[in-house]
Amino acid sequence: MKIETLAVHAGHSVDPATGAVAPPIYLSTTFERDIEGTYSRGFMYTRNDNPNRDALERGISALEGGAAAAAFASGTGATMSIFQALAPGDHVLAHVDAYYGTSRLLREIFLRWGLQADFVDMSDVMAVKKTLKPNTKLAWAETPSNPLLKIVDLAAVAKIVHDAGALFVCDNTWAPVLQRPFDLGADLIVHSTTKYFGGHCDVLGGIIVAKENSNFFEGIRGIQYEGGAVPSPFDCWLILRGMRTLPWRMRAHSENATKVANFLAQHRRVARVHYPGLPSHPGHTIAAKQMSAFGGMLAFEVKDGGDAAMSVAAKTKIFIRATSLGGVESLIEHRASIEGPGTTSPEGLLRLSIGLENADDLIEDLDHVLSL
Ligand SMILES: *Cc1c(COP(=O)(O)O)cnc(C)c1O
């Protein structure tokens, strides 16, 4: 099946009891035991498993081409469970440009817990090779990255990481459908389903998809129900509903973002545009090889620095000043001030999550504020 068809049908079945085409939401926390004491219908207690969570996990696993998946209450909860499945003394190699919350988890929680971590620019394959250690158990890539849209050559990095005997994880939050990490060598895929899967800025979630049913994934599964950071049945239902339109939305987000990036790239008040679809982007060649379209996220740097950037974000009419991404509405965000001290974001940088409005209206909005 092609990906659009999978997105519509994976994890779906018509309800045998009623014929309902849209799935019911199973709020029950507990399930009936058989007379013999077994659970032949597969469910016992909703923290362990629930029909809506089961459907979501089967659906996203099928979409990514994995063997199994474990859903969590947030993307960060999913990330945390991967680190918890490691052991004190293990070394993690993470992309320097990984999601801010991911590096904060490593620095503020897991270093204290005994994990070792190094951060390296994974768009530089040789730098990855140099930073791997004998006790490196896991390498964490994210591409395109936040907020500079750096591109990691997933196939090249996967090979080096596997040669060193470590697991390779790809945070695929920014490019679901557009990028197929299992085909490029990833062992695990992570999504913050809060973003494009949910797609409407109204549900929080995370998921880990495993290429194979390994012992390491069994460890994550245990942490899921023993740790209890699980999503509610309604959240699972919303995220799976979001997935039904995901391939078409990703196409439209990408198409709009390409138009906005091209507009910004020729604007006299813009110093730089970070969008992998632009031939001037340093990762363009690799992005063109490993992505079917370039996604809905971009960043640009306003000439004249931080104050000028803040004043652009203050005056847009369609773009909403807010963090996060992946919804139908376009968002604008000044990253340096949200990340605070220690940020690596340039002061003049604004990040855009391009939504599903008409691109002409988005361009007009930006053109207007840039000319003030
Ligand atoms: C948002 C995000 C996360 C964290 O997800 P939450 O659902 O907010 O916990 C992780 N990785 C990336 C790339 C993200 O954009």
Side-chain angles (χ1 to χ4, degrees), residues 188-242:
L188 295 170
I189 296 174
V190 176
H191 284 283
S192 165
T193 49
T194 310
K195 313 295 170 53
Y196 286 109
F197 272 89
H200 296 75
C201 294
D202 55 9
V203 59
L204 207 63
I207 200 157
I208 300 165
V209 191
K211 188 174 189 176
E212 279 157 22
N213 248 319
S214 59
N215 285 340
F216 190 75
F217 182 72
E218 281 315 307
I220 290 169
R221 177 71 80 201
I223 289 161
Q224 180 193 33
Y225 63 78
E226 286 155 26
V230 295
S232 77
F234 183 48
D235 290 353
C236 294
W237 186 93
L238 277 174
I239 294 162
L240 191 55
R241 183 172 77 157

Side-chain angles (χ1 to χ4, degrees), residues 74-77 79 99 102 142 146 171 173-174 192-195 204-206 324-325:
S74 68
T76 307
T79 301
Y99 178 66
T102 302
E142 185 181 318
N146 179 30
D171 181 336
T173 300
W174 281 30
S192 165
T193 49
T194 310
K195 313 295 170 53
L204 207 63
S324 200
L325 59 121

Side-chain angles (χ1 to χ4, degrees), residues 31-242:
F31 295 83
E32 190 185 37
R33 246 171 127 169
D34 303 323
I35 290 163
E36 315 76 54
T38 49
Y39 283 98
S40 61
R41 288 165 284 192
F43 300 99
M44 180 182 103
Y45 184 61
T46 278
R47 176 159 45 72
N48 295 23
D49 204 359
N50 169 280
N52 294 105
R53 192 163 95 220
D54 180 57
L56 176 68
E57 290 175 345
R58 283 187 291 110
I60 296 186
S61 177
L63 191 83
E64 283 289 19
F72 291 85
S74 68
T76 307
T79 301
M80 175 124 152
S81 304
I82 292 181
F83 296 144
Q84 284 171 326
L86 295 168
D90 287 349
H91 177 251
V92 175
L93 190 60
H95 190 13
V96 71
D97 217 18
Y99 178 66
Y100 203 61
T102 302
S103 63
R104 208 166 45 199
L105 266 183
L106 284 169
R107 288 183 225 269
E108 292 179 16
I109 296 182
F110 284 97
L111 289 187
R112 189 155 42 78
W113 190 79
L115 281 188
Q116 300 167 15
D118 276 304
F119 299 87
V120 65
D121 183 351
M122 286 199 179
S123 63
D124 178 352
V125 179
M126 286 323 290
V128 175
K129 193 164 190 165
K130 279 196 211 121
T131 321
L132 285 164
K133 292 186 176 170
N135 62 334
T136 304
K137 289 285 155 56
L138 190 144
W140 186 281
E142 185 181 318
T143 180
S145 71
N146 179 30
L148 294 178
L149 285 291
K150 284 191 180 169
I151 299 295
V152 176
D153 185 336
L154 290 174
V157 174
K159 177 156 190 328
I160 289 173
V161 169
H162 286 156
D163 286 349
L167 287 169
F168 187 45
V169 181
C170 177
D171 181 336
N172 204 24
T173 300
W174 281 30
V177 177
L178 308 178
Q179 182 168 275
R180 314 285 295 152
F182 288 148
D183 294 345
L184 301 165
D187 303 295
L188 295 170
I189 296 174
V190 176
H191 284 283
S192 165
T193 49
T194 310
K195 313 295 170 53
Y196 286 109
F197 272 89
H200 296 75
C201 294
D202 55 9
V203 59
L204 207 63
I207 200 157
I208 300 165
V209 191
K211 188 174 189 176
E212 279 157 22
N213 248 319
S214 59
N215 285 340
F216 190 75
F217 182 72
E218 281 315 307
I220 290 169
R221 177 71 80 201
I223 289 161
Q224 180 193 33
Y225 63 78
E226 286 155 26
V230 295
S232 77
F234 183 48
D235 290 353
C236 294
W237 186 93
L238 277 174
I239 294 162
L240 191 55
R241 183 172 77 157

Side-chain angles (χ1 to χ4, degrees), residues 236-257:
C236 294
W237 186 93
L238 277 174
I239 294 162
L240 191 55
R241 183 172 77 157
M243 187 181 92
R244 303 306 179 206
T245 54
L246 181 63
W248 294 99
R249 284 188 287 110
M250 291 315 295
R251 208 171 287 178
H253 284 294
S254 302
E255 192 181 302
N256 273 357

